[in-house]
Structures are given as structure tokens and as C-alpha cells.
Amino acid sequence: MQPNKKNSSNFIDVAYMRYSKYMNNLKKYLSYAMQVILIIAIALLALWIAKEAFDLQSYWTPIIVAVLSTLVSLVLSIGMEKRRKHLRKELLSNTFVKTEDINFGINGFAFYDHEDCGYLDDLITLRLVEGTYIYDFTKSFSENARTFPKLLKIKKLFDEKIKTSGRERENLDHLFARKIKEFQLDQLGEEDNQPTLILNSIAKNREDVGERLEASNLKIEVIKSNVSTKKLIDAVYTYVKNNYPDIIEASYKTNSKPENKENFIDDFVCLASTIGLYGCLIKNIGGNDNQAEYYMHKSIRPYGIRLNLTLEDVFNDSTEIHYDTLSDLIDNQLNQSVGILPEGKKHFTDVIFEFDDEMKCYLLYSTQPEEIVNYQQDFQIIYADKQFTPNFKSLIDSSREDPKLQFYLCYAQSIVRKYINKRFKQ
């Protein structure tokens, strides 16, 4: 297949990168050549001094030459080291950013954890808690909380974080009753009665598996509920986010480090409802580090490839699933949504929380398409000649005002780095 006009930017990027690489190599070789010429000149000068001072057959001549050569090498070594330090200092000064200007994260997102090498297949567990938990709108919050563990966790959050924040807070019975009335959640329709999954808990610990010491063991629990219950939890989350932003923001990194160090992601899992998969398609072409090129699928609307886990798709035959089921779900979704079949292994790397109209939890993944993508208009080159392309860097810079896009592009960038540094275990 021949490239079309829509792919011209890919070729321009590659050409520019290769030109830059050529010029950098040329400068490096010229620098080496000048160093060699300088060393030879100094050595000849030393030999001439020795010749003038002594007869070449003299016993002292080789000794003097050896001493002079050692001194010359030492001087050159010190000079070159100082030059390297100067260049390093100059480079750092050009990239220096004041502490108050450093972005410690992307607003609206928080990593629950980072797994540098990706999760091992056997250490990912998604379990359905026994029983069905549906909010009874004829009863108060307190009555519902007696038999609904997630509501008890919300009560604990209010008691330990909001009640002690020094500000008045609304009684939970009143708050829930007000939100039910505000969104008319007690006027149930057929859609509101539909079963759905709600995140119940998430936990990570370490386990030694073969050659992987302290590998991450990820356990996620979900509960069976209905749409109206999910809407109620989302409404309460929005209330907390709007009325106590400092408490919520302290659980993830923003443009300034949070002052409240006592708030953690685990405290807010009780307000999360949606659980899903979130990934990107990255294709490696070339194989080795010198020739490798990476192409990214242009799935930036709606900012990555997302799949919310549903009761029907996930827990048909069992109450516990692992990597193989999640992998099949990704295959089916990609085939249906973008017409692409992935090849080989999916790499699950991190757990992310997204703070939007609702608090969503995603298990992040990356996979490669099995087909050739060089000339496909749905793919763009983002890495070639050992560096990210100018177009991709520009795209990241221009995404600063769009945190969702910025997060997706930065995640794609981190996936490429993991491939390059061989962080994924096959």
C-alpha cells in the first residue's frame, strides 16, 4: 500500500529526526577528531623537547617521554572532565524549572499505584462479592448502611475526614435524602433498575513469584447493584468534591504539593463507582533500539480506548476472573470499536482514578495491533531515531489545557519508554 497525503507528517517527522541525528553525529565525530589532533600535537611537542634536550639514544629519553605523556594525558583528562561538567551544567540550566512551577501530576487523575514492569498475569484478580446491594429509598441512610458495607465506608470517611476538617457538615441522613429528591432517584424507571457493577474495594500487596521478587498482587472487588444506587453514590461524590475540594485534591498530585499529607487514595475508594479498562494501541516496528519506530493509534477521542466492565460481560460463569478474561474483553472491544485485532500479550501496568462527574477506577493496559500500521491514517509515528517526534512533543505541549488528553498522551509516552527499556516481561 502506498502512503497517502494524510501520512505526510509521519515522513516529515522521520526525515527531520534522521537529519538531526546526522548533524549530532557529525558534531560528535568532529569533536573526537579535534581531540585526537590535539593529543598528537602535544605528543610530538613532547618528543621534540626530549630530542633537543637529550640524544635520542640516551637512557633518559624514553623515561622523559613517558613522564611527559603521562602528564599530558592527565591534563587532557582533567580538561575533558571539566568540559563535560560545564556542558552538563549548561544543559541543566536550560531545563531548570522553579519548584513552584513544577507540575507534580495531571489534574483530575491519580495513580493508585505504579507497576514498573507490568502486572504478572496470575496476580490480577477481579472478584464479585456475594450478594446484591441496592439502596432502599424508603429507608434512611443509617438504615441502609446497616446492611450495605460501601455505605459504612462512606460514613467512616465523613466521620474521620470531613467531620474533623473544622467545618460544619451535613448530616448523612439529610444529605442522602436531599440528593435522592434532587435527582428524583426514588422515582424508579426500568433503566434505573438495571443491574450494574460498582467498585467495592481495591488492594495491592507484594508477592515473590519466580525471578520476580516483590511482584505486585492486585485484588479488586466489585458488588452487584443497580443504576439508581450508582447514581446516588456519584451524586454524593460530586457533593464532596465541590464542597471539600482541598480534601479530595490532597489525594492526588496537582501543580503544587498538597499540604494535607493525611489524605490518601484509599480513603476515597468508597466514593468510586465505575470500574473499567483503559488502554492505548502502540505498535513497535523495527525491533531493536537503533531502528525501532513506534506508532500510536489516534484514539484521542474520547482520550484512549475505554471499556466499562459490566455484569453480563465479566461474570457470566464465575465470580472471579483473571488476566485471560480481561484479555478476551479487550480483544472483543478493539475488534468491534476500531476493527483491530491485537497480537500477543496485553500489558497491564497501573491503576488510575479519574476525578470527573463520577470517580472512576481504571486498570491501565497497552497492546499492539497484529497488522502493519506504517501507512494507516489511524496511526501516527511518535518515536523514531531514539527520540520522540517533534509532532508528538508538540501535541503533548498543546494538551496542557486538556488534562484528559494530556494524561492519555503521557501514558502512551510511558508505554514506549517501557518497551525501549525492556520493562515488560513476556
Side-chain angles (χ1 to χ4, degrees):
M1 183 182 297
Q2 294 299 320
N4 55 35
K5 292 182 179 180
K6 293 183 179 179
N7 302 106
S8 61
S9 61
N10 286 352
F11 294 99
I12 293 173
D13 268 344
V14 173
Y16 177 79
M17 305 272 299
R18 288 175 179 167
Y19 172 76
S20 299
K21 181 181 178 182
Y22 171 78
M23 293 303 297
N24 289 334
N25 287 338
L26 181 61
K27 290 177 182 179
K28 182 173 66 174
Y29 293 143
L30 287 175
S31 176
Y32 289 157
M34 291 299 297
Q35 292 176 21
V36 171
I37 292 173
L38 182 62
I39 291 173
I40 293 174
I42 294 176
L44 290 175
L45 178 63
L47 185 62
W48 180 80
I49 294 174
K51 181 177 180 301
E52 291 295 319
F54 299 92
D55 184 88
L56 285 177
Q57 303 300 320
S58 169
Y59 169 79
W60 295 102
T61 299
I63 298 176
I64 294 174
V65 170
V67 171
L68 288 174
S69 298
T70 302
L71 290 174
V72 168
S73 298
L74 182 62
V75 170
L76 284 176
S77 177
I78 294 173
M80 292 173 67
E81 181 63 27
K82 286 185 176 181
R83 176 62 178 167
R84 279 195 293 267
K85 288 182 178 180
H86 173 73
L87 291 174
R88 174 67 175 167
K89 185 177 180 181
E90 195 174 60
L91 177 63
L92 290 175
S93 65
N94 291 335
T95 58
F96 176 76
V97 181
K98 295 180 180 179
T99 302
E100 59 269 24
D101 295 332
I102 296 176
N103 189 355
F104 292 95
I106 298 175
N107 289 340
F109 291 89
F111 281 99
Y112 179 76
D113 74 304
H114 292 268
E115 181 49 37
D116 187 44
C117 297
Y119 284 102
L120 295 180
D121 301 353
D122 297 336
L123 299 186
I124 302 175
T125 303
L126 186 65
R127 188 175 74 88
L128 178 64
V129 176
E130 184 179 354
T132 301
Y133 296 89
I134 295 176
Y135 196 94
D136 187 344
F137 295 107
T138 65
K139 298 180 179 179
S140 67
F141 167 83
S142 299
E143 292 175 297
N144 275 279
R146 291 170 189 165
T147 57
F148 201 150
K150 190 173 180 71
L151 298 183
L152 284 176
K153 294 174 184 176
I154 292 176
K155 183 179 184 303
K156 181 180 179 182
L157 169 67
F158 272 69
D159 289 342
E160 295 185 357
K161 298 295 180 180
I162 297 179
K163 187 177 180 179
T164 59
S165 65
R167 290 166 289 175
E168 292 186 11
R169 71 171 176 87
E170 191 171 355
N171 177 277
L172 281 176
D173 284 336
H174 295 162
L175 173 62
F176 272 73
R178 185 166 63 83
K179 290 300 174 183
I180 291 169
K181 183 177 180 181
E182 180 182 344
F183 293 97
Q184 298 181 337
L185 297 176
D186 53 345
Q187 300 178 18
L188 297 177
E190 184 177 347
E191 181 182 341
D192 295 310
N193 275 320
Q194 292 296 315
T196 190
L197 291 177
I198 295 178
L199 178 66
N200 184 54
S201 66
I202 183 170
K204 187 189 77 169
N205 52 34
R206 296 290 179 176
E207 182 177 336
D208 294 340
V209 180
E211 296 180 357
R212 281 280 297 275
L213 301 179
E214 295 189 352
S216 291
N217 191 329
L218 181 66
K219 296 184 182 296
I220 301 174
E221 286 189 347
V222 293
I223 57 176
K224 180 181 179 182
S225 188
N226 67 357
V227 174
S228 59
T229 302
K230 178 184 178 302
K231 289 181 178 179
L232 178 58
I233 293 173
D234 291 340
V236 173
Y237 158 72
T238 303
Y239 165 82
V240 175
K241 178 184 175 184
N242 292 338
N243 289 274
Y244 305 95
D246 55 324
I247 295 178
I248 292 291
E249 286 187 1
S251 69
Y252 68 96
K253 293 180 179 179
T254 57
N255 287 332
S256 59
K257 290 184 177 180
E259 295 180 1
N260 190 343
K261 302 283 175 47
E262 297 180 356
N263 295 336
F264 301 97
I265 293 292
D266 300 81
D267 300 326
F268 300 93
V269 172
C270 60
L271 295 175
S273 58
T274 300
I275 174 72
L277 305 175
Y278 181 7
C280 58
L281 277 165
I282 302 287
K283 180 69 173 181
N284 165 247
I285 296 177
N288 63 52
D289 293 342
N290 293 325
Q291 300 177 355
E293 295 178 349
Y294 288 87
Y295 288 76
M296 179 185 71
H297 188 265
K298 296 179 182 178
S299 48
I300 58 175
R301 295 180 299 270
Y303 315 116
I305 303 171
R306 304 184 186 216
L307 172 64
N308 290 339
L309 300 180
T310 65
L311 187 65
E312 297 79 10
D313 292 337
V314 180
F315 297 106
N316 273 329
D317 304 320
S318 66
T319 58
E320 186 172 289
I321 65 170
H322 300 276
Y323 169 88
D324 53 350
T325 303
L326 297 174
S327 180
D328 289 342
L329 289 172
I330 293 171
D331 286 344
N332 294 335
Q333 183 203 18
L334 291 177
N335 190 26
Q336 293 175 10
S337 61
V338 294
I340 291 176
L341 286 175
E343 69 170 6
K345 184 177 176 59
K346 286 81 181 170
H347 300 288
F348 292 93
T349 62
D350 307 282
V351 176
I352 190 76
F353 282 94
E354 182 179 12
F355 299 87
D356 203 352
D357 295 334
E358 57 184 290
M359 186 174 170
K360 305 172 185 176
C361 175
Y362 288 109
L363 181 57
L364 298 183
Y365 74 90
S366 178
T367 187
Q368 294 198 47
E370 62 180 11
E371 57 195 273
I372 302 300
V373 301
N374 304 50
Y375 303 132
Q376 289 193 22
Q377 65 182 33
D378 290 336
F379 284 84
Q380 62 178 331
I381 188 168
I382 63 173
Y383 184 92
D385 291 326
K386 296 187 176 182
Q387 57 183 314
F388 288 97
T389 65
N391 275 357
F392 184 66
K393 292 178 181 177
S394 176
L395 189 59
I396 290 181
D397 290 338
S398 64
S399 69
R400 304 299 180 189
E401 302 301 320
D402 188 347
K404 289 187 178 182
L405 177 57
Q406 183 186 7
F407 174 80
Y408 173 66
L409 295 175
C410 288
Y411 180 60
Q413 192 177 40
S414 73
I415 290 297
V416 171
R417 289 185 176 129
K418 281 180 168 62
Y419 278 122
I420 292 170
N421 296 318
K422 299 178 175 60
R423 304 307 298 165
F424 290 133
K425 306 297 181 182
Q426 300 297 331

